[in-house]
Each structure stands twice: as C-alpha cells, then as structure tokens.
Amino acid sequence: MKKFEFELEEILNIRRFEQQQAEVELGKALAEEKKVQDKIDNLAMQQVTVKQQMKGCTNFSDIINANQFYAFVKKQTDFLLNQMAELKLVSEQKRDVLRNAMQKTDSLEKLKEQQLEEYKAEVKRIEQLELDNIVTTRYKNE
C-alpha cells in the first residue's frame, strides 16, 4: 500500500506560513504598544520626581519651571495616549488576522488528522484481510 499523502499539504504549509507571519506582525504591533507605554511610564516617573523635589520649594522661578514641566508632561501624555489608542486598534486588527489564520490552519490540520486516521484504519483492515487470506490458504492446503 502506498504511503499516506495529504492532498492539501501545500495549502496547509501556506496557511502555516501565513499564521507565522501574522504572529510576527502581532508581535511588532505589541512591541510598539510597549514602547509607547514605557514612554508614558517614564513621563509619570519624571513628574513624580519633580513633585518630590518641589515640596517645600519657595523659589518662584523653580515653581514656574515645574508648572511648565507639568504642562509639558500633560500635553505629551495626551499625545502618547492617543497614539496608544491607535496602536491598540492596530493590534486588535492583527489579532483578528492571526485568529483567522489559526482557524484556517486548524481546520486543515484536523482534516489531515482525520484522513490519516482513515488511512491507518484502511491499512489495518487490509493487513487483517491479508492475514485472514494467509490463514485460510494454509487450512485449505492441509
């Protein structure tokens, strides 16, 4: 009997490749989100540091500089949060693409497994028939 061969193997390989590409694209999108989140966290840490340094400060120019810095941090944080929202939308789109690629791959892999099980059952049935024929032939000849 010939070896098991899945007719859609090439398509399955293409689907696996598409899934890998989708995983890479999602990873890139998540890395971009992480960069922006790190920037937001860094600004928050700087703001906390400035607030701690300004406690008890009576120098008017330092207070003005601190207020200007707070305004800068607020403006920059708003910009970064908007950027983060856009990146989250992109990431969600990439997740959908990956989810679809995984579904397509899974359906083909299940089909392949099903065909392999059918092939194994057929091989087992043929082997059993051959054994039965051998045993029957021996008893007829005796």
Side-chain angles (χ1 to χ4, degrees):
M1 183 157 200
K2 72 177 192 172
K3 181 179 149 185
F4 173 73
E5 191 173 308
F6 184 56
E7 304 96 24
L8 303 173
E9 189 68 40
E10 290 179 18
I11 295 172
L12 179 59
N13 290 336
I14 291 170
R15 296 277 168 85
R16 285 178 181 155
F17 177 75
E18 288 173 350
Q19 181 178 338
Q20 289 172 344
Q21 291 300 106
E23 288 171 354
V24 168
E25 292 299 318
L26 177 59
K28 288 178 183 178
L30 292 176
E32 287 297 317
E33 275 186 44
K34 173 100 173 81
K35 281 183 193 177
V36 171
Q37 186 61 49
D38 289 345
K39 288 178 182 178
I40 292 170
D41 294 343
N42 188 24
L43 282 173
M45 292 295 289
Q46 288 178 357
Q47 187 172 6
V48 167
T49 303
V50 169
K51 280 184 181 181
Q52 288 175 347
Q53 290 174 350
M54 293 307 299
K55 282 187 180 179
C57 181
T58 56
N59 187 340
F60 187 70
S61 65
D62 288 342
I63 294 172
I64 289 175
N65 287 338
N67 283 333
Q68 288 175 346
F69 178 74
Y70 297 150
F72 167 76
V73 167
K74 182 175 177 3
K75 194 177 214 181
Q76 192 67 21
T77 302
D78 288 343
F79 171 77
L80 291 173
L81 288 174
N82 287 335
Q83 191 176 9
M84 178 67 88
E86 291 172 9
L87 290 172
K88 286 205 180 279
L89 289 174
V90 170
S91 294
E92 193 56 40
Q93 290 171 348
K94 302 288 183 181
R95 273 191 191 89
D96 288 340
V97 169
L98 176 60
R99 193 175 301 115
N100 290 336
M102 289 173 72
Q103 287 174 345
K104 290 176 183 178
T105 303
D106 287 346
S107 63
L108 279 177
E109 286 177 347
K110 286 178 184 176
L111 180 61
K112 181 179 179 178
E113 288 174 15
Q114 180 184 4
Q115 286 183 2
L116 181 60
E117 290 301 318
E118 291 171 2
Y119 171 80
K120 287 179 181 179
E122 182 65 18
V123 167
K124 190 173 185 177
R125 188 186 68 75
I126 290 173
E127 288 175 351
Q128 188 63 40
L129 283 174
E130 288 177 6
L131 286 174
D132 288 347
N133 287 340
I134 292 171
V135 169
T136 305
T137 305
R138 280 190 180 164
Y139 283 118
K140 284 183 180 179
N141 291 337
E142 290 180 356

